[in-house]
Amino acid sequence: MTKTDFHFLPTMIGSMPHTDPKAAVDIITHYLQDIPVWPQLPRRSCLEGMSAQFSQGLPGVKINQDKVWIEPNPSFESELESLYQAYLDNDFNKFPIGAEYAAGLYELASRNLSPLLVKGHITGPLTYCMSIKDPSGKDILYDEVLSDAATKLLKLKATWQEYFLRNICRNTIIFVDEPAMSAYGSAYLPLSREQVTGMFDEVFSGISGLKGVHCCGNTDWSILMDTRVDIINFDTYAYANSLSIYTDELKAFIKRGGAVAWGIVPTDEKALKEETAASLKDRLEAAMSHFDSHGLPFAELARHSLITPACGLGLKSPEAAERAPQLLAELSALLRRKHGTV
C-alpha cells in the first residue's frame, strides 16, 4: 500500500480512563491490532495531563495537579540555552518522555506486537501554549520567547517519540492533538493563519513518518490542510458537515496523498450504548457521499480513510472505554467487507 492507503482501518485518539496501564493496553491491543496506540492515562497521574505530559525539560516548568506554569529560576537562562542548542543539533535524546509521564507508552513497548503501523500523539502547540502560564498568569502563547521555546520542545519530543515507537513498528503515525484549533478566528486565539501554520509545521518538522492532526471541534480545516500534515481527524459523529465546506481543499489534499480519520464512533456514553456498527456505517457513508457527488469518488476517499472515536476516552467510564474500540473494530470490519478490502 502507499503511505495512506488505509481502507477504513481503525485506530484511537489516545486517552483512556484507567489507572493501570496494563489494563488499558490490553483493550487497545485486543481491538486495534493493525494500528495500536499508546494510552494516555490522566487519572493515573497529573503528569499525564495534556500539558504536563510533554513538559519534562521545559525551562522553569512547575506542575501542581492540573496546573502547569513557568517560574524562572537562577538556571532558567542556561536551561533555555540548552533547549535551543539541542534543537539546533536535533539532539532529541536530551528531551525524552519519561515513564512517569507516559506509563502507557512503555507498557505498549513491552508487548510482543506485529502491527501494520503504530500510533503516538503529542499535544499541539496552540493547546500547549494556551494551557501553560507565564509568571504573570498569562498564557505563554502570548510570550514570543516562551511560546517559541515550547514549540521547539514539542518538536524534539515528537522526534524522540517517533524513534521510540519504531522499536514496536517501523511505520509510525504521530498525531498532534489540538482542541484549541476550534477557537481559531475568535478573540481566544488571535493568531494569523501564517502564525498557526508556522507553529504546526515546526512540530511536524520533527516527524519523518506520518503526521496527523486531531481537533474534536469545528475549525477552519483549510488551514490544517495547508500544513505538512498527512491525516486530519475530526469529530464526524457531531460535526459531519464541518468538512463539507472545504470540498475543493479536501480534493487537493487527497490528491497529494492526504487522508481523513473519521471520528465516527461517539464518546458520549448514552450514544455508545445506542449505536451499532450498522448505524454508524450508514452515518459515515452519508457524510462521505457529499464528496462523492462533488468530484471525489467514494472509493478514492475510502482508500484514504481511517476511522476513530470522536475524541479521547480519558474522562469516560471504563465500560465506555472498552465499548468504543469494540464498536470501532466491528465498524471497520463491516466497512472493509462491504467496500471490498477483505
Side-chain angles (χ1 to χ4, degrees):
M1 71 177 188
T2 63
K3 67 178 184 177
T4 57
D5 282 359
F6 295 124
H7 296 283
F8 299 118
L9 284 174
T11 191
M12 286 175 60
I13 307 308
S15 64
M16 297 282 275
H18 305 77
T19 56
D20 177 7
K22 182 179 184 301
V25 171
D26 283 347
I27 292 171
I28 289 168
T29 54
H30 178 73
Y31 292 111
L32 304 175
Q33 296 178 14
D34 290 319
I35 314 178
V37 54
W38 65 271
Q40 299 166 290
L41 307 173
R43 289 179 176 169
R44 186 192 75 87
S45 167
C46 66
L47 296 180
E48 297 213 30
M50 279 196 77
S51 54
Q53 189 158 54
F54 305 103
S55 65
Q56 185 182 9
L58 183 64
V61 71
K62 298 289 183 181
I63 302 170
N64 185 8
Q65 296 303 316
D66 61 343
K67 296 181 179 179
V68 183
W69 71 98
I70 301 297
E71 188 175 294
N73 52 51
S75 61
F76 179 79
E77 293 298 331
S78 63
E79 291 176 12
L80 194 62
E81 183 180 339
S82 295
L83 170 58
Y84 275 92
Q85 191 60 55
Y87 170 82
L88 291 172
D89 297 338
N90 196 31
D91 191 358
F92 53 86
N93 283 317
K94 285 188 176 178
F95 293 93
I97 304 168
E100 67 274 27
Y101 288 79
L105 173 61
Y106 289 83
E107 177 63 31
L108 185 71
S110 74
R111 304 299 180 93
N112 183 22
L113 304 173
S114 299
L116 295 176
L117 303 103
V118 61
K119 178 183 171 291
H121 27 256
I122 193 162
T123 303
L126 303 177
T127 300
Y128 192 70
C129 291
M130 292 176 73
S131 59
I132 300 176
K133 306 300 181 183
D134 69 11
S136 68
K138 296 180 181 178
D139 298 346
I140 65 169
L141 180 69
Y142 307 108
D143 184 302
E144 186 175 344
V145 173
L146 293 178
S147 63
D148 184 59
T151 303
K152 286 177 166 54
L153 176 70
L154 291 175
K155 182 258 187 186
L156 291 167
K157 294 278 186 182
T159 305
W160 181 90
Q161 182 183 161
E162 185 175 61
Y163 273 76
F164 185 91
L165 288 173
R166 283 178 177 158
N167 292 313
I168 301 171
C169 178
R170 65 183 180 88
N171 300 313
T172 59
I173 306 174
I174 305 290
F175 267 31
V176 172
D177 294 334
E178 194 64 278
M181 263 305 290
S182 60
Y184 177 76
S186 72
Y188 296 103
L189 188 56
L191 298 183
S192 69
R193 184 185 186 99
E194 292 72 23
Q195 287 173 305
V196 171
T197 57
M199 292 178 77
F200 274 107
D201 280 337
E202 177 76 85
V203 178
F204 288 148
S205 70
I207 305 169
S208 61
L210 291 174
K211 300 167 280 291
V213 172
H214 164 69
C215 178
C216 49
N218 197 2
T219 192
D220 184 342
W221 295 105
S222 70
I223 294 178
L224 297 176
M225 287 185 277
D226 202 29
T227 68
R228 302 182 188 185
V229 75
D230 299 301
I231 305 165
I232 55 171
N233 174 227
F234 74 111
D235 180 352
T236 313
Y237 190 83
Y239 300 101
N241 294 327
S242 69
L243 196 60
S244 62
I245 62 175
Y246 302 102
T247 300
D248 289 340
E249 291 88 345
L250 183 65
K251 287 163 66 176
F253 181 63
I254 296 296
K255 186 176 181 180
R256 74 167 172 85
V260 179
W262 305 88
I264 191 62
V265 174
T267 52
D268 175 78
E269 302 209 20
K270 183 175 183 292
L272 271 174
K273 292 177 181 177
E274 295 173 349
E275 297 287 1
T276 65
S279 67
L280 292 176
K281 176 191 72 67
D282 293 344
R283 196 179 185 110
L284 177 58
E285 289 175 341
M288 294 175 65
S289 66
H290 164 84
F291 302 101
D292 186 65
S293 63
H294 286 77
L296 179 53
F298 186 96
E300 178 67 5
L301 186 54
R303 187 163 69 90
H304 295 278
S305 289
L306 290 159
I307 57 170
T308 71
C311 199
L313 296 159
L315 301 179
K316 307 301 178 180
S317 68
E319 294 75 21
E322 180 158 11
R323 173 60 177 160
Q326 177 189 22
L327 194 54
L328 188 66
E330 292 173 359
L331 174 60
S332 174
L334 184 59
L335 287 165
R336 287 168 67 81
R337 282 197 302 271
K338 178 177 179 181
H339 297 288
T341 53
V342 292

